[in-house]
Every structure is written in C-alpha cells, then in structure tokens.
Amino acid sequence: MSAHMPGHDANCIFCKIIAKQIPSKAVYEDEQVYAFHDINPWAPVHFLLIPKAHIPSMAHIGPEHAGLMGHMMALVPKLALEQGCNPYPDGGYRLVTNTGAEGGQEVHHLHFHVMGGARPWLRG
Ligand code: AMP
Ligand code: ZN
C-alpha cells in the first residue's frame, strides 16, 4: 500500500494492520472495512471492526459518514454470530467504542469492539 494512499496514516497501528504491514487474524474484509481478532481479548469472542479509511474516532464522524456507519452497524449482528456469539436474547454481545482519553481510547483509528460468548469474561 502506498504511503500516499488517501485516508492512510503511516504512523497508525490499525492502518498498518489494514496494509498487512502488521499481522492480524482476519474476521471479515471488504472495500470499506476490515474486522480482526483483538490481540488481548476480554471475552471468548472479541474482534474489532474498523473502517479502512483513517478516521481517528467517533468524534470525527458526521453526516457524510452515515453510509459507512450504516454499513458497519449492519455487519455487526452477522459477524457476531459467525464468530461464535450466542443468539439473542440468552446470548448476545457488547458493542463498545471508546472515544478520546476520557472515553478510554488507546488506538486513535475508529474501531468497534464486539465482545461475546459464555460468561464469565476476563473483563467487562
Ligand atoms: P481502545 O483504543 O482502548 O478501544 O482499544 C484498542 C484495542 O486494540 C485493545 O483492545 C487492544 O487489545 C487492541 N489492539 C492493539 N493492538 C492490536 C493488534 N496489533 N492486533 C489486534 N488488536 C490490537
Ligand atoms: Zn489509521
């Protein structure tokens, strides 16, 4: 992937994962998004869904992102079940997006955590 690719931040760990410069365990990929297993899972199922474009956080989302956000949210139920989350309502999952320092965000490339599977979990 070129350093001049629009929407790519050469210093961002998740942009490097999208560019396959850092390995990851893929869950799903299309033109707009990538999903991969969290390296430090809290729950039996724990993956991250990210846009391929470098959007730092939810604080950067506006009306122009409605299509992308809709695409991502519509993928969550399908990917969650495929990855082993149990069906609603006895199963289910948590969908979490940390935003900014006070929101507990550590990686500044927008990501949705999807966590599920049988309790107890390590955290959360
Ligand atoms: P946060 O920014 O606090 O919402 O969380 C960032 C998440 O990214 C954490 O759950 C990390 O375990 C995860 N993470 C960081 N580096 C990697 C990586 N190289 N591969 C997979 N997950 C990662
Ligand atoms: Zn990035």
Side-chain angles (χ1 to χ4, degrees):
M1 185 177 286
S2 155
H4 305 293
M5 178 172 172
H8 178 85
D9 179 337
N11 297 315
C12 169
I13 184 170
F14 285 179
C15 284
K16 289 179 185 171
I17 283 176
I18 292 162
K20 316 277 188 220
Q21 291 161 0
I22 292 175
S24 63
K25 279 178 62 188
V27 163
Y28 174 84
E29 181 166 14
D30 66 25
E31 281 186 4
Q32 294 185 85
V33 306
Y34 183 55
F36 57 104
H37 292 278
D38 196 293
I39 205 165
N40 194 8
W42 292 17
V45 177
H46 187 172
F47 65 89
L48 305 175
L49 176 61
I50 69 176
K52 285 190 170 174
H54 180 81
I55 299 170
S57 80
M58 276 305 290
H60 300 76
I61 293 299
E64 69 276 23
H65 300 106
L68 173 64
M69 292 297 103
H71 177 56
M72 294 180 83
M73 289 302 97
L75 277 168
V76 167
K78 172 177 132 62
L79 298 181
L81 289 177
E82 283 176 7
Q83 289 304 308
C85 293
N86 296 309
Y88 175 94
D90 295 334
Y93 43 85
R94 293 183 72 188
L95 177 62
V96 172
T97 308
N98 300 322
T99 305
E102 292 181 347
Q105 185 178 8
E106 290 178 359
V107 176
H108 288 263
H109 180 130
L110 176 62
H111 52 281
F112 297 110
H113 295 257
V114 181
M115 292 166 281
R119 298 278 181 168
W121 295 356
L122 209 56
R123 296 167 68 186

